[in-house]
Amino acid sequence: MLSKFIFTKILGWKLNNNFPLELKKYVVIAAPHTSWQDFPIGILARNTAGVKINFIGKDSLFKGPFGFIFRSLGGTPVDRSKSNNLVDAIVQLFNSKEEFRLALSPEGTRKKVDKWKTGFYYIAKGANVPIVLATLDFGNKEVKISDPYYLTDNKEKDFEYFKSFYENVEGKHPELF
């Protein structure tokens, strides 16, 4: 497999654990998101794992000569300038499909943020699917995958678990995480 060869042999990355192949639906949160390089690393990790995981991205990525590439990789454009109920739309997408896995960045941007966005949490809650956490650890050249996490009725506890998973993980630009 070409992706695995590039990911492990050429770039020197490793995949620690695998995405749950037996589950047909879940939300993946990948962090830290500090560089454009996160995307190709994520795609290579996904392909190495042999699982189809979709993603959403700002609509400008899907315009012009490269739009078809992002779509063929499983992407869907999102217009972030409009105030629409994206969470409800994605929950409906989960409910309409027999198999759907969606990767999101909890930061929502490559810039430094004080707190994570919560859309991924409400998508998982609304679609009644678990969350799988994935690191983009440039310090160790490792993508670490968690076991599925089933949300509780305690949002603070859930977020404490999420944050603890990413302790000591180094993004491409550590100062942004």
Side-chain angles (χ1 to χ4, degrees), residues 4-12 141:
K4 184 175 183 178
F5 179 77
I6 294 169
F7 184 70
T8 60
K9 302 297 183 200
I10 294 176
L11 298 178
K141 284 193 161 187

Side-chain angles (χ1 to χ4, degrees), residues 29-109:
I29 57 170
H33 184 32
T34 64
S35 166
W36 65 269
Q37 294 175 19
D38 301 337
F39 179 75
I41 294 297
I43 294 296
L44 289 168
R46 172 195 79 175
N47 291 351
T48 297
V51 63
K52 181 180 179 187
I53 300 173
N54 297 83
F55 62 92
I56 57 174
K58 57 185 176 182
D59 59 348
S60 62
L61 293 174
F62 294 84
K63 294 179 180 166
F66 299 109
F68 78 96
I69 294 172
F70 288 108
R71 288 183 206 285
S72 69
L73 290 171
T76 300
V78 173
D79 183 355
R80 297 191 304 184
S81 68
K82 293 182 180 172
S83 177
N84 48 22
N85 201 332
L86 187 58
V87 169
D88 286 345
I90 295 174
V91 167
Q92 287 178 355
L93 191 58
F94 265 100
N95 292 336
S96 72
K97 295 188 177 284
E98 189 172 316
E99 184 173 321
F100 190 67
R101 300 170 191 96
L102 180 66
L104 299 166
S105 162
E107 299 112 315
T109 182

Side-chain angles (χ1 to χ4, degrees), residues 111-138:
K111 298 175 184 134
K112 185 168 180 65
V113 297
D114 293 327
K115 64 180 196 170
W116 284 359
K117 301 224 178 242
T118 57
F120 74 89
Y121 181 83
Y122 291 107
I123 290 167
K125 200 129 180 95
N128 197 27
V129 298
I131 293 177
V132 174
L133 295 81
T135 65
L136 297 166
D137 190 346
F138 280 77

Side-chain angles (χ1 to χ4, degrees), residues 19-36:
F19 293 99
L21 301 175
E22 72 283 0
L23 290 179
K24 295 188 180 293
K25 295 182 181 185
Y26 50 86
V27 172
V28 176
I29 57 170
H33 184 32
T34 64
S35 166
W36 65 269

Side-chain angles (χ1 to χ4, degrees), residues 156-167:
E156 289 76 28
K157 178 183 170 231
D158 293 338
F159 272 79
E160 283 175 23
Y161 173 81
F162 302 149
K163 297 279 182 156
S164 71
F165 187 80
Y166 294 100
E167 285 179 5

